[in-house]
């Protein structure tokens, strides 16, 4: 039989190459001969963790630590297991122990940063992220971890620096590519994004998914539309058109296809109704549509508020739900929303367009309720809406901003037709959400743009008059909604 050290080294080779089953068999072979071999116990714990068997991983690594409590790697890796189990405090204790044993342990610093970030302690997190990249500046993973944390903290400009360095070390790596592109979208850096996409197209085929690279043109198209650059938006939609017959696939492909179709519809409307948009050029005032993709529908049109023409300027918080803003503590979407809020002028006018994603068949309230049928659906909706309205109106009040909150349109008939019982439940959720929004907004002195009343026909399903696609309304809906479907007072940002 080979020496134990030889078997362990062979196991490590398999492990590092991703051949987990072969490595696990060798570690177990060692333990049959030496049940108290701490290295084999530790590495077996790491493999069971990587395989999703976290409880077994804890058992193995705890035994390894009992045999060799001075091994920093053992403490770092059991910290990773505890973090995967959601036991952040236990994880932090072991990361600290690893650093006490080896102060210059870059991975432990980074992992401790990730743990503090998950506890909404960005200052403590960044101290350790900075230590990690200072100790090992050429580590892709450490740079990427720091970039993600900074992005979650609402600092996309700083995040981009680390994403760029991470991608220099590992070009074409999808998660980093996607996150860097999201940061560029959030900051409106169209030129940088265009250059980044060009660089991806020049990479060797084995380094990048070209379908993904094409998909980034759709993100650039969104950024161009947010700036009112319609021709450039159209050009990038053409470049980003995804081949539906291609085997290439990647995360977010479906989302990008929805955006591609949505922007195509918006541009089609623009071509057919250019005069409708030209009125915005003469508007002396601006109002700001802040929200998820729904802020794009009325973007760069003109609406009348308080007897004055306003140009609608969009600010997008991609994928934001009312639930994100209603949650206690901090999160990525709250940070993005706050970053937009900081850019809004004092005493300006804001149209809040958030909530439709909460009211989808496959996202938001309905999937949550199906997982927790013991919960009161009415209570879930009311609590979410009340907290969302309190968060947004409280912010706007500080700057004297006049806030209008947009409701959720009636669900498209095709969605309901394809969803069976879920469709019937969704109709109820949309109706309840809008009713709760009007009541909550009224308590905070915010008028509601009641697009549900405008779009609903029989049984709460869309009347088909205003939808541009399954989710979004046509660009001309807002002018009519403000004139005919405005509910509540219009006092600036204050409580009644």
């Amino acid at each position: 039989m080979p020496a134990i050290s030889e078997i362990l080294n062979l196991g490590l080779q398999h492990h590092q190459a991703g051949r987990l089953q072969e490595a696990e068999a060798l570690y177990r072979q060692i333990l049959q001969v030496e049940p108290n071999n701490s290295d084999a116990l530790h590495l077996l714990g790491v493999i069971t963790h990587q395989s999703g068997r976290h409880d077994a991983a804890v058992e193995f690594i705890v035994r390894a630590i009992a045999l060799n409590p001075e091994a920093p790697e053992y403490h770092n890796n059991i910290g990773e297991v505890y973090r995967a189990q959601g036991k952040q405090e236990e994880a932090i204790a072991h990361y600290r122990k690893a650093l006490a044993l080896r102060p210059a342990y870059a991975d432990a610093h980074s992992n401790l940063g990730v743990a503090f970030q998950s506890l909404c302690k960005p200052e403590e997190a960044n101290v350790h992220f900075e230590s990690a990249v200072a100790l090992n500046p050429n580590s892709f993973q450490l740079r990427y971890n720091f970039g993600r944390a900074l992005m979650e903290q609402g600092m996309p400009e700083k995040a981009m620096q680390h994403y760029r360095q991470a991608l220099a070390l590992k070009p074409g790596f999808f998660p980093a590519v996607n996150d860097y592109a999201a940061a560029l979208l959030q900051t409106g850096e169209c030129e940088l994004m265009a250059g980044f996409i060009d660089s991806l197209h020049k990479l060797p085929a084995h380094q990048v998914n070209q379908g993904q690279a094409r998909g980034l043109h759709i993100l650039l198209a969104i950024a161009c539309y947010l700036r009112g650059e319609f021709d450039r938006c159209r050009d990038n939609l053409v470049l980003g058109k995804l081949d539906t017959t291609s085997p290439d696939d990647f995360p977010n492909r479906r989302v990008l296809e929805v955006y591609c179709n949505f922007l195509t519809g918006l541009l089609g409307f623009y071509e057919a109704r250019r005069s409708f948009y030209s009125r915005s050029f003469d508007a002396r005032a601006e109002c700001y549509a802040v929200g998820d993709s729904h802020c794009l529908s009325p973007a760069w049109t003109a609406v009348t508020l308080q007897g004055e023409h306003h140009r609608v300027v969009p600010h997008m918080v991609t994928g934001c739900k009312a639930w994100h803003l209603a949650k206690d503590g901090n999160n990525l979407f709250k940070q993005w929303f706050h970053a937009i809020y900081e850019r809004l002028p004092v005493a300006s006018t804001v149209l809040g367009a958030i909530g439709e994603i909460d009211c989808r068949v496959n996202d938001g309230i309905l999937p949550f309720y199906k997982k927790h049928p013991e919960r009161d659906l009415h209570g879930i909706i009311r609590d979410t809406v009340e907290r969302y309205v309190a968060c947004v109106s409280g912010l706007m009040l500080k700057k004297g901003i006049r806030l209008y909150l947009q409701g959720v349109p009636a669900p498209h008939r095709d969605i309901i037709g394809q969803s069976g019982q879920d469709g019937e439940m969704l109709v109820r959720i949309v109706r309840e959400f809008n009713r709760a929004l009007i009541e909550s907004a009224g308590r905070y002195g915010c008028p509601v743009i009641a697009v549900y009343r405008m779009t609903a026909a029989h049984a709460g399903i869309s009347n088909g008059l205003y939808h541009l696609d399954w989710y979004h309304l046509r660009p001309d809906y807002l002018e009519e909604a403000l004139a005919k479907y405005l509910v509540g007072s219009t006092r600036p940002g204050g409580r009644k």
Side-chain angles (χ1 to χ4, degrees), residues 226-227 279-290 298-306 308-315 343-351 401-404 478 482:
L226 285 166
R227 289 169 51 155
R279 294 184 304 157
S280 70
F281 302 144
D282 300 324
R284 296 182 178 179
E286 292 183 338
C287 63
Y288 303 92
V290 179
W300 310 113
T301 67
V303 296
T304 301
L305 289 166
Q306 304 295 305
E308 185 177 12
H309 283 307
H310 289 69
R311 179 189 302 108
V312 181
V313 179
H315 288 286
R343 299 199 298 269
L344 296 172
V346 172
S348 56
T349 299
V350 167
L351 312 176
I401 291 172
R402 187 183 301 275
L403 174 64
Y404 294 75
L478 185 56
L482 287 168

Side-chain angles (χ1 to χ4, degrees), residues 78-138:
I78 200 170
E80 287 291 86
V81 181
Y82 282 134
R83 187 161 62 82
Q85 293 179 315
K87 300 176 181 178
Q88 303 297 339
E89 297 298 342
E90 290 92 332
I92 287 171
H94 281 280
Y95 295 143
R96 289 191 186 281
K97 179 62 175 178
L99 289 170
L101 293 166
R102 185 189 297 165
Y105 194 172
D107 286 349
H109 274 295
S110 183
N111 292 336
L112 187 51
V114 172
F116 277 129
Q117 178 71 13
S118 69
L119 294 176
C120 299
K121 296 180 178 180
E123 293 82 6
E124 293 96 322
N126 290 348
V127 167
H128 291 284
F129 284 128
E130 287 168 0
S131 295
V133 297
L135 288 165
N136 190 356
N138 294 321

Side-chain angles (χ1 to χ4, degrees), residues 116-268:
F116 277 129
Q117 178 71 13
S118 69
L119 294 176
C120 299
K121 296 180 178 180
E123 293 82 6
E124 293 96 322
N126 290 348
V127 167
H128 291 284
F129 284 128
E130 287 168 0
S131 295
V133 297
L135 288 165
N136 190 356
N138 294 321
S139 166
F140 162 81
Q141 192 63 53
L142 302 187
R143 290 286 184 187
Y144 180 55
N145 287 351
F146 199 2
R148 292 196 70 183
L150 291 167
M151 191 69 175
E152 289 176 6
Q153 293 166 23
M155 294 189 281
E157 293 87 356
K158 291 184 178 179
M160 287 191 297
Q161 298 173 18
H162 291 282
Y163 286 145
R164 278 194 291 267
Q165 289 167 310
L167 287 166
L169 295 163
K170 198 171 183 179
F173 181 68
F174 173 76
V177 166
N178 194 55
D179 289 352
Y180 181 48
L184 291 167
L185 174 62
Q186 195 66 26
T187 55
E189 295 283 2
C190 291
E191 277 65 39
L192 282 178
M193 190 184 294
F196 176 54
I197 295 170
D198 287 343
S199 71
L200 289 176
H201 285 309
K202 295 174 183 176
L203 288 176
H206 70 277
Q207 286 189 327
V208 66
N209 181 319
Q210 288 300 325
Q212 174 201 348
R214 286 195 302 276
L216 294 184
H217 281 288
I218 299 173
L219 290 184
L220 180 52
I222 296 169
C224 293
Y225 201 93
L226 285 166
R227 289 169 51 155
E229 298 177 5
F230 295 158
D231 291 340
R232 193 176 180 188
C233 174
R234 184 184 303 102
D235 292 343
N236 277 283
L237 286 181
V238 172
L239 292 170
K241 187 173 181 60
L242 301 174
D243 181 1
T244 57
T245 66
S246 170
D248 289 341
D249 204 1
F250 48 89
N252 296 332
R253 176 174 179 145
R254 173 59 185 150
V255 173
L256 291 176
E257 288 173 342
V258 170
Y259 268 108
C260 184
N261 294 333
F262 177 34
L263 289 171
T264 299
L266 289 175
L267 291 172

